[in-house]
Amino acid sequence: TNTETRRSLFFPAGTYRVTDSINIPPFAKLYGEGSESSIIKLDATADSTVGEYVARTADSDQNIGVNIGNNGSTAPTNISVSAMSFQTDEATDIFLIEDASEISIQDVTFRGPLTESNLTDASDDIACVRFSSTSALITNQVTLDMCTFTGCTYGINTNDAIEGATVSNCSF
């Protein structure tokens, strides 16, 4: 009943195949043994209905998109992700921070499908991390530290209002 209970999920070294987006709830902590050791990879080979992202923020009732924060649920807040990697070979964004506050991402690698040889079409519009907000829930207080962004059209992208995003010690 306490929506502020911290949920911790540890990913020992290894590659974890997912076929749908991981919805990260409020007050969650995801951590691994290093950005090259604990790898979450979106895999379309097993399922043709692959998720839109490798991972994304969700509210306390696992609502996403326009339903975040509805019916008294707690919007995404106080989320920590560290020492792991999110990857995909699909032409999709990797990580969505949506309608969220107080997000800390440290020592995380975001690896997309693009290389110098196939980065020729500017319409790809693939983001390693995408911020999304509504007028009612503006994404704010996001920190990305010691992260690596590769294989996407954009390291970080948004078309929405964002408040207080800090990017430091990162590689693009």
Side-chain angles (χ1 to χ4, degrees), residues 57 65-66 68 75-77 97-101 132-134 137-140:
T57 56
V66 297
I68 287 179
T77 186
I97 300 173
E98 182 177 30
D99 301 338
S101 65
S132 180
S133 296
T134 61
L137 293 168
I138 295 177
T139 294
N140 66 84

Side-chain angles (χ1 to χ4, degrees), residues 69-134:
N70 288 350
N71 300 320
S73 61
T74 302
T77 186
N78 289 288
I79 295 170
S80 172
V81 180
S82 62
M84 56 193 320
S85 177
F86 295 93
Q87 301 180 8
T88 183
D89 292 330
E90 300 301 310
T92 184
D93 292 343
I94 297 173
F95 201 98
L96 177 64
I97 300 173
E98 182 177 30
D99 301 338
S101 65
E102 298 182 45
I103 309 299
S104 173
I105 301 176
Q106 184 174 28
D107 187 26
V108 173
T109 295
F110 302 95
R111 184 168 288 125
L114 303 180
T115 64
E116 284 188 34
S117 63
N118 67 4
L119 184 57
T120 57
D121 186 0
S123 66
D124 283 334
D125 191 27
I126 301 170
C128 288
V129 174
R130 188 172 300 273
F131 296 146
S132 180
S133 296
T134 61

